[in-house]
Amino acid sequence: LAFVDTLKSLANLFGTTKINLRKMMNDAVKVAWDRGAMHTYLGDTIDQKCPTEAEFVLLIAEKIRQE
């Protein structure tokens, strides 16, 4: 599934809209970035800029696959 289709499915599952889900994900990514949590968990796999929510999902999926 494409990222947008996945967002739509998740939004339906949790009783919200795709736009609201994206906003919540974006906020969560920014908070994790600002607190340094991404660097702690993802290490050198992350660039020096805050990832988009789609990039974040891909990074986490890759990390989980490696573990």
Side-chain angles (χ1 to χ4, degrees), residues 7 10-11 16-26:
L7 283 178
L10 286 171
T16 190
T17 65
K18 181 176 67 172
I19 292 170
N20 194 36
L21 180 61
R22 249 193 130 133
K23 286 178 184 178
M24 289 186 288
M25 286 179 67
N26 190 40

Side-chain angles (χ1 to χ4, degrees), residues 1-7 10 21-22 24-26 28-30 32 38 41-42 45-46 50-66:
L1 286 171
F3 183 68
V4 174
D5 294 331
T6 303
L7 283 178
L10 286 171
L21 180 61
R22 249 193 130 133
M24 289 186 288
M25 286 179 67
N26 190 40
V29 168
K30 285 183 179 180
M38 283 192 203
Y41 184 68
L42 297 172
T45 62
I46 196 160
C50 185
T52 66
E53 57 272 4
E55 292 169 335
F56 177 73
V57 169
L58 289 172
L59 287 166
I60 294 296
E62 183 61 31
K63 179 72 174 177
I64 291 169
R65 229 177 301 184
Q66 291 174 358

Side-chain angles (χ1 to χ4, degrees), residues 31-43 56:
V31 167
W33 178 263
D34 290 344
R35 292 182 181 173
M38 283 192 203
H39 289 287
T40 301
Y41 184 68
L42 297 172
F56 177 73

